[in-house]
Amino acid sequence: MGEPQKKMMSAEFYVAMRALRTYANVLFMSSIFYFGLSIISFFYQRPLLGFLGMLSFFSSAIVSVFLLLNAVSYTNSSARWNVVAVNFFNAVYFGIAAWFEMNNENSTMGYVIVNGVFCALAMISTIVGFFLLDRVQEIRHDEEQDEPHMYESIVSDS
């Protein structure tokens, strides 16, 4: 009788969380894929570029796992800037890879173009991730101001 009744999350919050989780799943899958390619690159092609890729994509995989947690809506702006940092680091990796390919005599222009496209996609991913997380946090904050116990069940279930 003394416990407050737990309420369901709003539809707006649910949609925003689904979008963020879809983004996080895509980021995780691509991070694991490129992490594996970076390991291969470390041993068979360019160790420095492979190491940079392993560091970059491992950190983005960790951030994507963090974005899958329910408690991500309770974080502050540092979580958004963390998303920006790892995606920017991925873009820098692809930019450096394109530069290496431009300076490689045995490389074709196709490798440069592919790495340039992935650099642009990583920058777009930076913007998308920032705004998706910002939206989730904004909705949670606004709704919690109205109903303080609304998200209690989300946190206790995770």
PDB file of all heavy atoms in Angstrom, residues 108-137:
ATOM      1  N   THR A 108      44.338   1.433 -55.879  1.00  0.00           N
ATOM      2  CA  THR A 108      43.483   2.040 -56.896  1.00  0.00           C
ATOM      3  C   THR A 108      42.666   3.165 -56.263  1.00  0.00           C
ATOM      4  O   THR A 108      42.580   3.266 -55.034  1.00  0.00           O
ATOM      5  CB  THR A 108      42.513   0.991 -57.488  1.00  0.00           C
ATOM      6  OG1 THR A 108      41.636   0.534 -56.451  1.00  0.00           O
ATOM      7  CG2 THR A 108      43.269  -0.173 -58.089  1.00  0.00           C
ATOM      8  N   MET A 109      42.059   3.961 -57.099  1.00  0.00           N
ATOM      9  CA  MET A 109      41.260   5.076 -56.605  1.00  0.00           C
ATOM     10  C   MET A 109      39.992   4.584 -55.909  1.00  0.00           C
ATOM     11  O   MET A 109      39.408   5.299 -55.093  1.00  0.00           O
ATOM     12  CB  MET A 109      40.911   5.985 -57.779  1.00  0.00           C
ATOM     13  CG  MET A 109      40.483   7.333 -57.355  1.00  0.00           C
ATOM     14  SD  MET A 109      41.803   8.083 -56.393  1.00  0.00           S
ATOM     15  CE  MET A 109      41.313   9.742 -56.409  1.00  0.00           C
ATOM     16  N   GLY A 110      39.565   3.368 -56.172  1.00  0.00           N
ATOM     17  CA  GLY A 110      38.375   2.813 -55.530  1.00  0.00           C
ATOM     18  C   GLY A 110      38.506   2.751 -54.021  1.00  0.00           C
ATOM     19  O   GLY A 110      37.552   3.036 -53.293  1.00  0.00           O
ATOM     20  N   TYR A 111      39.683   2.372 -53.519  1.00  0.00           N
ATOM     21  CA  TYR A 111      39.905   2.317 -52.071  1.00  0.00           C
ATOM     22  C   TYR A 111      39.801   3.701 -51.441  1.00  0.00           C
ATOM     23  O   TYR A 111      39.265   3.858 -50.347  1.00  0.00           O
ATOM     24  CB  TYR A 111      41.269   1.715 -51.750  1.00  0.00           C
ATOM     25  CG  TYR A 111      41.368   0.241 -52.014  1.00  0.00           C
ATOM     26  CD1 TYR A 111      42.271  -0.252 -52.949  1.00  0.00           C
ATOM     27  CD2 TYR A 111      40.561  -0.657 -51.327  1.00  0.00           C
ATOM     28  CE1 TYR A 111      42.366  -1.614 -53.192  1.00  0.00           C
ATOM     29  CE2 TYR A 111      40.647  -2.013 -51.566  1.00  0.00           C
ATOM     30  CZ  TYR A 111      41.554  -2.485 -52.499  1.00  0.00           C
ATOM     31  OH  TYR A 111      41.632  -3.824 -52.743  1.00  0.00           O
ATOM     32  N   VAL A 112      40.308   4.704 -52.145  1.00  0.00           N
ATOM     33  CA  VAL A 112      40.242   6.075 -51.642  1.00  0.00           C
ATOM     34  C   VAL A 112      38.785   6.525 -51.569  1.00  0.00           C
ATOM     35  O   VAL A 112      38.349   7.108 -50.570  1.00  0.00           O
ATOM     36  CB  VAL A 112      41.068   7.025 -52.533  1.00  0.00           C
ATOM     37  CG1 VAL A 112      40.923   8.467 -52.073  1.00  0.00           C
ATOM     38  CG2 VAL A 112      42.530   6.605 -52.549  1.00  0.00           C
ATOM     39  N   ILE A 113      38.018   6.242 -52.601  1.00  0.00           N
ATOM     40  CA  ILE A 113      36.617   6.644 -52.637  1.00  0.00           C
ATOM     41  C   ILE A 113      35.818   5.936 -51.548  1.00  0.00           C
ATOM     42  O   ILE A 113      35.021   6.561 -50.843  1.00  0.00           O
ATOM     43  CB  ILE A 113      36.021   6.384 -54.032  1.00  0.00           C
ATOM     44  CG1 ILE A 113      36.666   7.322 -55.045  1.00  0.00           C
ATOM     45  CG2 ILE A 113      34.508   6.552 -54.024  1.00  0.00           C
ATOM     46  CD1 ILE A 113      36.342   7.016 -56.480  1.00  0.00           C
ATOM     47  N   VAL A 114      36.041   4.632 -51.386  1.00  0.00           N
ATOM     48  CA  VAL A 114      35.313   3.871 -50.357  1.00  0.00           C
ATOM     49  C   VAL A 114      35.616   4.415 -48.972  1.00  0.00           C
ATOM     50  O   VAL A 114      34.712   4.633 -48.161  1.00  0.00           O
ATOM     51  CB  VAL A 114      35.648   2.362 -50.457  1.00  0.00           C
ATOM     52  CG1 VAL A 114      35.183   1.618 -49.224  1.00  0.00           C
ATOM     53  CG2 VAL A 114      35.029   1.770 -51.702  1.00  0.00           C
ATOM     54  N   ASN A 115      36.886   4.669 -48.684  1.00  0.00           N
ATOM     55  CA  ASN A 115      37.242   5.208 -47.372  1.00  0.00           C
ATOM     56  C   ASN A 115      36.699   6.620 -47.187  1.00  0.00           C
ATOM     57  O   ASN A 115      36.297   6.997 -46.087  1.00  0.00           O
ATOM     58  CB  ASN A 115      38.755   5.182 -47.165  1.00  0.00           C
ATOM     59  CG  ASN A 115      39.251   3.808 -46.804  1.00  0.00           C
ATOM     60  OD1 ASN A 115      38.672   3.131 -45.966  1.00  0.00           O
ATOM     61  ND2 ASN A 115      40.320   3.374 -47.443  1.00  0.00           N
ATOM     62  N   GLY A 116      36.661   7.414 -48.239  1.00  0.00           N
ATOM     63  CA  GLY A 116      36.072   8.751 -48.160  1.00  0.00           C
ATOM     64  C   GLY A 116      34.582   8.695 -47.873  1.00  0.00           C
ATOM     65  O   GLY A 116      34.056   9.480 -47.076  1.00  0.00           O
ATOM     66  N   VAL A 117      33.879   7.755 -48.514  1.00  0.00           N
ATOM     67  CA  VAL A 117      32.437   7.590 -48.262  1.00  0.00           C
ATOM     68  C   VAL A 117      32.201   7.155 -46.823  1.00  0.00           C
ATOM     69  O   VAL A 117      31.308   7.669 -46.139  1.00  0.00           O
ATOM     70  CB  VAL A 117      31.834   6.585 -49.266  1.00  0.00           C
ATOM     71  CG1 VAL A 117      30.444   6.149 -48.838  1.00  0.00           C
ATOM     72  CG2 VAL A 117      31.801   7.178 -50.657  1.00  0.00           C
ATOM     73  N   PHE A 118      33.008   6.211 -46.334  1.00  0.00           N
ATOM     74  CA  PHE A 118      32.839   5.766 -44.953  1.00  0.00           C
ATOM     75  C   PHE A 118      33.193   6.866 -43.952  1.00  0.00           C
ATOM     76  O   PHE A 118      32.598   6.942 -42.879  1.00  0.00           O
ATOM     77  CB  PHE A 118      33.657   4.511 -44.673  1.00  0.00           C
ATOM     78  CG  PHE A 118      33.042   3.265 -45.236  1.00  0.00           C
ATOM     79  CD1 PHE A 118      33.825   2.295 -45.830  1.00  0.00           C
ATOM     80  CD2 PHE A 118      31.680   3.053 -45.189  1.00  0.00           C
ATOM     81  CE1 PHE A 118      33.263   1.145 -46.352  1.00  0.00           C
ATOM     82  CE2 PHE A 118      31.102   1.915 -45.705  1.00  0.00           C
ATOM     83  CZ  PHE A 118      31.898   0.955 -46.293  1.00  0.00           C
ATOM     84  N   CYS A 119      34.130   7.718 -44.308  1.00  0.00           N
ATOM     85  CA  CYS A 119      34.443   8.874 -43.458  1.00  0.00           C
ATOM     86  C   CYS A 119      33.221   9.790 -43.365  1.00  0.00           C
ATOM     87  O   CYS A 119      32.852  10.237 -42.269  1.00  0.00           O
ATOM     88  CB  CYS A 119      35.644   9.619 -44.027  1.00  0.00           C
ATOM     89  SG  CYS A 119      36.134  11.067 -43.074  1.00  0.00           S
ATOM     90  N   ALA A 120      32.578  10.040 -44.492  1.00  0.00           N
ATOM     91  CA  ALA A 120      31.371  10.877 -44.497  1.00  0.00           C
ATOM     92  C   ALA A 120      30.242  10.213 -43.720  1.00  0.00           C
ATOM     93  O   ALA A 120      29.522  10.879 -42.965  1.00  0.00           O
ATOM     94  CB  ALA A 120      30.940  11.164 -45.936  1.00  0.00           C
ATOM     95  N   LEU A 121      30.070   8.903 -43.887  1.00  0.00           N
ATOM     96  CA  LEU A 121      29.028   8.184 -43.144  1.00  0.00           C
ATOM     97  C   LEU A 121      29.282   8.232 -41.637  1.00  0.00           C
ATOM     98  O   LEU A 121      28.335   8.329 -40.848  1.00  0.00           O
ATOM     99  CB  LEU A 121      28.933   6.735 -43.613  1.00  0.00           C
ATOM    100  CG  LEU A 121      28.309   6.521 -44.992  1.00  0.00           C
ATOM    101  CD1 LEU A 121      28.407   5.049 -45.381  1.00  0.00           C
ATOM    102  CD2 LEU A 121      26.876   7.000 -45.016  1.00  0.00           C
ATOM    103  N   ALA A 122      30.541   8.153 -41.240  1.00  0.00           N
ATOM    104  CA  ALA A 122      30.861   8.245 -39.808  1.00  0.00           C
ATOM    105  C   ALA A 122      30.525   9.633 -39.268  1.00  0.00           C
ATOM    106  O   ALA A 122      30.049   9.766 -38.137  1.00  0.00           O
ATOM    107  CB  ALA A 122      32.331   7.916 -39.568  1.00  0.00           C
ATOM    108  N   MET A 123      30.736  10.662 -40.068  1.00  0.00           N
ATOM    109  CA  MET A 123      30.377  12.015 -39.628  1.00  0.00           C
ATOM    110  C   MET A 123      28.854  12.171 -39.524  1.00  0.00           C
ATOM    111  O   MET A 123      28.352  12.792 -38.593  1.00  0.00           O
ATOM    112  CB  MET A 123      30.956  13.070 -40.585  1.00  0.00           C
ATOM    113  CG  MET A 123      32.470  13.150 -40.545  1.00  0.00           C
ATOM    114  SD  MET A 123      33.142  13.453 -38.897  1.00  0.00           S
ATOM    115  CE  MET A 123      32.609  15.103 -38.600  1.00  0.00           C
ATOM    116  N   ILE A 124      28.129  11.593 -40.475  1.00  0.00           N
ATOM    117  CA  ILE A 124      26.667  11.616 -40.407  1.00  0.00           C
ATOM    118  C   ILE A 124      26.182  10.842 -39.184  1.00  0.00           C
ATOM    119  O   ILE A 124      25.271  11.268 -38.474  1.00  0.00           O
ATOM    120  CB  ILE A 124      26.061  11.062 -41.710  1.00  0.00           C
ATOM    121  CG1 ILE A 124      26.334  12.022 -42.865  1.00  0.00           C
ATOM    122  CG2 ILE A 124      24.563  10.808 -41.562  1.00  0.00           C
ATOM    123  CD1 ILE A 124      26.020  11.463 -44.235  1.00  0.00           C
ATOM    124  N   SER A 125      26.828   9.715 -38.909  1.00  0.00           N
ATOM    125  CA  SER A 125      26.491   8.913 -37.737  1.00  0.00           C
ATOM    126  C   SER A 125      26.724   9.691 -36.444  1.00  0.00           C
ATOM    127  O   SER A 125      25.984   9.526 -35.470  1.00  0.00           O
ATOM    128  CB  SER A 125      27.321   7.626 -37.737  1.00  0.00           C
ATOM    129  OG  SER A 125      27.081   6.875 -36.592  1.00  0.00           O
ATOM    130  N   THR A 126      27.730  10.532 -36.448  1.00  0.00           N
ATOM    131  CA  THR A 126      27.998  11.381 -35.286  1.00  0.00           C
ATOM    132  C   THR A 126      26.806  12.291 -34.999  1.00  0.00           C
ATOM    133  O   THR A 126      26.329  12.374 -33.867  1.00  0.00           O
ATOM    134  CB  THR A 126      29.250  12.249 -35.548  1.00  0.00           C
ATOM    135  OG1 THR A 126      30.354  11.408 -35.788  1.00  0.00           O
ATOM    136  CG2 THR A 126      29.537  13.166 -34.383  1.00  0.00           C
ATOM    137  N   ILE A 127      26.317  12.936 -36.024  1.00  0.00           N
ATOM    138  CA  ILE A 127      25.199  13.869 -35.867  1.00  0.00           C
ATOM    139  C   ILE A 127      23.919  13.128 -35.472  1.00  0.00           C
ATOM    140  O   ILE A 127      23.206  13.542 -34.554  1.00  0.00           O
ATOM    141  CB  ILE A 127      25.001  14.668 -37.170  1.00  0.00           C
ATOM    142  CG1 ILE A 127      26.232  15.529 -37.434  1.00  0.00           C
ATOM    143  CG2 ILE A 127      23.741  15.516 -37.115  1.00  0.00           C
ATOM    144  CD1 ILE A 127      26.312  16.083 -38.835  1.00  0.00           C
ATOM    145  N   VAL A 128      23.658  12.007 -36.145  1.00  0.00           N
ATOM    146  CA  VAL A 128      22.445  11.230 -35.854  1.00  0.00           C
ATOM    147  C   VAL A 128      22.462  10.725 -34.412  1.00  0.00           C
ATOM    148  O   VAL A 128      21.476  10.837 -33.685  1.00  0.00           O
ATOM    149  CB  VAL A 128      22.302  10.059 -36.855  1.00  0.00           C
ATOM    150  CG1 VAL A 128      21.221   9.092 -36.416  1.00  0.00           C
ATOM    151  CG2 VAL A 128      22.013  10.586 -38.246  1.00  0.00           C
ATOM    152  N   GLY A 129      23.587  10.150 -33.975  1.00  0.00           N
ATOM    153  CA  GLY A 129      23.691   9.631 -32.610  1.00  0.00           C
ATOM    154  C   GLY A 129      23.517  10.706 -31.560  1.00  0.00           C
ATOM    155  O   GLY A 129      22.848  10.501 -30.543  1.00  0.00           O
ATOM    156  N   PHE A 130      24.110  11.867 -31.812  1.00  0.00           N
ATOM    157  CA  PHE A 130      23.981  12.978 -30.869  1.00  0.00           C
ATOM    158  C   PHE A 130      22.522  13.368 -30.700  1.00  0.00           C
ATOM    159  O   PHE A 130      22.020  13.502 -29.585  1.00  0.00           O
ATOM    160  CB  PHE A 130      24.808  14.174 -31.351  1.00  0.00           C
ATOM    161  CG  PHE A 130      24.722  15.362 -30.438  1.00  0.00           C
ATOM    162  CD1 PHE A 130      25.590  15.480 -29.364  1.00  0.00           C
ATOM    163  CD2 PHE A 130      23.780  16.357 -30.641  1.00  0.00           C
ATOM    164  CE1 PHE A 130      25.519  16.579 -28.512  1.00  0.00           C
ATOM    165  CE2 PHE A 130      23.693  17.453 -29.802  1.00  0.00           C
ATOM    166  CZ  PHE A 130      24.566  17.563 -28.741  1.00  0.00           C
ATOM    167  N   PHE A 131      21.815  13.557 -31.805  1.00  0.00           N
ATOM    168  CA  PHE A 131      20.430  14.023 -31.719  1.00  0.00           C
ATOM    169  C   PHE A 131      19.469  12.951 -31.218  1.00  0.00           C
ATOM    170  O   PHE A 131      18.500  13.271 -30.529  1.00  0.00           O
ATOM    171  CB  PHE A 131      19.970  14.607 -33.052  1.00  0.00           C
ATOM    172  CG  PHE A 131      20.548  15.971 -33.300  1.00  0.00           C
ATOM    173  CD1 PHE A 131      21.473  16.171 -34.305  1.00  0.00           C
ATOM    174  CD2 PHE A 131      20.195  17.040 -32.502  1.00  0.00           C
ATOM    175  CE1 PHE A 131      22.025  17.427 -34.520  1.00  0.00           C
ATOM    176  CE2 PHE A 131      20.736  18.298 -32.700  1.00  0.00           C
ATOM    177  CZ  PHE A 131      21.658  18.498 -33.718  1.00  0.00           C
ATOM    178  N   LEU A 132      19.720  11.678 -31.532  1.00  0.00           N
ATOM    179  CA  LEU A 132      18.861  10.614 -30.994  1.00  0.00           C
ATOM    180  C   LEU A 132      18.979  10.532 -29.477  1.00  0.00           C
ATOM    181  O   LEU A 132      17.972  10.443 -28.768  1.00  0.00           O
ATOM    182  CB  LEU A 132      19.218   9.262 -31.619  1.00  0.00           C
ATOM    183  CG  LEU A 132      18.757   9.028 -33.043  1.00  0.00           C
ATOM    184  CD1 LEU A 132      19.299   7.698 -33.553  1.00  0.00           C
ATOM    185  CD2 LEU A 132      17.243   9.058 -33.142  1.00  0.00           C
ATOM    186  N   LEU A 133      20.207  10.555 -28.968  1.00  0.00           N
ATOM    187  CA  LEU A 133      20.401  10.499 -27.516  1.00  0.00           C
ATOM    188  C   LEU A 133      19.871  11.759 -26.851  1.00  0.00           C
ATOM    189  O   LEU A 133      19.241  11.690 -25.786  1.00  0.00           O
ATOM    190  CB  LEU A 133      21.876  10.284 -27.181  1.00  0.00           C
ATOM    191  CG  LEU A 133      22.207  10.145 -25.698  1.00  0.00           C
ATOM    192  CD1 LEU A 133      21.413   9.026 -25.050  1.00  0.00           C
ATOM    193  CD2 LEU A 133      23.703   9.901 -25.526  1.00  0.00           C
ATOM    194  N   ASP A 134      20.074  12.897 -27.473  1.00  0.00           N
ATOM    195  CA  ASP A 134      19.550  14.144 -26.928  1.00  0.00           C
ATOM    196  C   ASP A 134      18.030  14.098 -26.823  1.00  0.00           C
ATOM    197  O   ASP A 134      17.456  14.523 -25.820  1.00  0.00           O
ATOM    198  CB  ASP A 134      19.981  15.316 -27.819  1.00  0.00           C
ATOM    199  CG  ASP A 134      19.505  16.648 -27.270  1.00  0.00           C
ATOM    200  OD1 ASP A 134      19.825  16.965 -26.105  1.00  0.00           O
ATOM    201  OD2 ASP A 134      18.821  17.381 -28.014  1.00  0.00           O
ATOM    202  N   ARG A 135      17.379  13.552 -27.834  1.00  0.00           N
ATOM    203  CA  ARG A 135      15.910  13.464 -27.820  1.00  0.00           C
ATOM    204  C   ARG A 135      15.419  12.562 -26.695  1.00  0.00           C
ATOM    205  O   ARG A 135      14.471  12.898 -25.982  1.00  0.00           O
ATOM    206  CB  ARG A 135      15.419  12.943 -29.180  1.00  0.00           C
ATOM    207  CG  ARG A 135      13.929  12.912 -29.302  1.00  0.00           C
ATOM    208  CD  ARG A 135      13.379  14.312 -29.401  1.00  0.00           C
ATOM    209  NE  ARG A 135      11.926  14.243 -29.467  1.00  0.00           N
ATOM    210  CZ  ARG A 135      11.121  15.048 -28.810  1.00  0.00           C
ATOM    211  NH1 ARG A 135      11.600  16.020 -28.072  1.00  0.00           N
ATOM    212  NH2 ARG A 135       9.829  14.915 -28.905  1.00  0.00           N
ATOM    213  N   VAL A 136      16.051  11.406 -26.528  1.00  0.00           N
ATOM    214  CA  VAL A 136      15.663  10.484 -25.447  1.00  0.00           C
ATOM    215  C   VAL A 136      15.829  11.155 -24.088  1.00  0.00           C
ATOM    216  O   VAL A 136      14.938  11.086 -23.235  1.00  0.00           O
ATOM    217  CB  VAL A 136      16.490   9.181 -25.522  1.00  0.00           C
ATOM    218  CG1 VAL A 136      16.373   8.368 -24.246  1.00  0.00           C
ATOM    219  CG2 VAL A 136      16.066   8.350 -26.724  1.00  0.00           C
ATOM    220  N   GLN A 137      16.952  11.817 -23.889  1.00  0.00           N
ATOM    221  CA  GLN A 137      17.193  12.473 -22.607  1.00  0.00           C
ATOM    222  C   GLN A 137      16.235  13.637 -22.376  1.00  0.00           C
ATOM    223  O   GLN A 137      15.773  13.845 -21.264  1.00  0.00           O
ATOM    224  CB  GLN A 137      18.643  12.957 -22.543  1.00  0.00           C
ATOM    225  CG  GLN A 137      19.637  11.835 -22.481  1.00  0.00           C
ATOM    226  CD  GLN A 137      21.065  12.321 -22.621  1.00  0.00           C
ATOM    227  OE1 GLN A 137      21.327  13.391 -23.143  1.00  0.00           O
ATOM    228  NE2 GLN A 137      22.001  11.501 -22.156  1.00  0.00           N
TER     229      GLN A 137
END
